């Protein structure tokens, strides 16, 4: 009988841990997506107006002002709280965020003392990976072609309109790291 109760307790803890990890993953991805959106806004504003607009394609030109708020929204949707904000991090040369969370719910009552008040904790890291390449000698004032993961994107800075860019996911991949 004790073994059955112990198994149940471990199942409760595993369920809480899985929920916490899902919340952390969602929060980290939300932070990175928010910064990817910031990159897209900056890129759209720079093309045709700034001779250094190609630098935006490196994926590290964002400030990240909305990253923590985005992470908190998604964590809250998953019944969790972000602890410490969305922390900027670089993984394998890619910018991103590490987010730690704690569930608002507890593991629950069991035969093991102290579990009724324990909250599950987890962390996750998401990065923004640039997907586009272009000729090293590309002139930012002349039309050029980007190769974004096999999809070709043509940009003419002299006649650029914000609707000329493809979806953000074509230019930058957002994914979990670690």
């Amino acid at each position: 009988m004790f073994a059955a109760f112990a198994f149940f307790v471990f199942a409760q803890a595993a369920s809480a841990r899985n929920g916490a990890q899902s919340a952390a993953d969602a929060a980290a991805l939300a932070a990175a997506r928010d910064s990817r959106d910031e990159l897209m806004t900056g890129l759209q504003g720079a093309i045709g107006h700034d001779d250094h607009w190609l630098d935006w394609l490196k994926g590290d030109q964002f400030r990240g002002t909305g990253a923590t708020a985005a992470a908190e929204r998604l964590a809250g949707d998953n019944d969790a709280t972000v602890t410490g904000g969305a922390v900027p991090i670089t993984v394998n040369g890619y910018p991103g965020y590490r987010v730690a969370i704690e569930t608002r719910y507890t593991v629950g009552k069991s035969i093991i003392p102290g579990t009724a008040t324990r909250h599950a904790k987890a962390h996750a890291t998401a990065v923004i990976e640039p997907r586009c390449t272009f000729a090293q000698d590309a002139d930012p004032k002349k039309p050029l072609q980007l190769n974004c993961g096999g999809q070709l994107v043509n940009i003419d800075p002299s006649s650029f309109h914000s609707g000329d860019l493809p979806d953000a996911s074509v230019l930058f991949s957002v994914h979990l790291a670690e």
Side-chain angles (χ1 to χ4, degrees):
M1 185 69 124
F2 179 77
F5 281 124
F7 180 75
F8 180 72
V9 169
F10 286 114
Q12 279 180 294
S15 177
R17 174 73 174 106
N18 287 341
Q21 191 60 58
S22 293
D25 291 349
L29 287 168
R33 282 189 193 120
D34 185 80
S35 288
R36 179 181 68 184
D37 292 346
E38 186 182 332
L39 280 170
M40 290 298 290
T41 300
L43 178 61
Q44 288 171 346
I47 296 174
H49 302 289
D50 179 353
D51 289 346
H52 300 285
W53 68 265
L54 291 170
D55 290 344
W56 285 91
L57 294 171
K58 294 177 187 174
D60 60 358
Q61 299 289 317
F62 60 88
R63 291 189 181 133
T65 55
T68 293
E72 288 171 343
R73 277 191 300 278
L74 259 289
D77 289 349
N78 286 284
D79 205 15
T81 303
V82 172
T83 58
V87 179
I89 189 169
T90 301
V91 177
N92 297 325
Y94 301 124
Y97 295 95
R98 178 175 159 83
V99 178
I101 65 95
E102 182 175 293
T103 60
R104 293 179 184 153
Y105 55 89
T106 63
V107 172
K109 289 185 178 184
S110 71
I111 59 171
I112 299 175
T115 60
T117 59
R118 302 251 343 192
H119 297 266
K121 297 177 183 179
H123 70 273
T125 301
V127 295
I128 304 165
E129 183 177 350
R131 301 187 71 213
C132 301
T133 59
F134 49 89
Q136 280 190 323
D137 62 348
D139 184 345
K141 297 177 185 175
K142 295 181 179 178
L144 66 100
Q145 187 174 69
L146 306 174
N147 182 342
C148 303
Q151 183 172 337
L152 300 179
V153 177
N154 294 305
I155 296 179
D156 183 350
S158 65
S159 63
F160 178 76
H161 302 288
S162 62
D164 292 346
L165 286 179
D167 185 72
S169 64
V170 173
L171 303 177
F172 304 100
S173 170
V174 171
H175 56 87
L176 294 171
E178 299 177 357

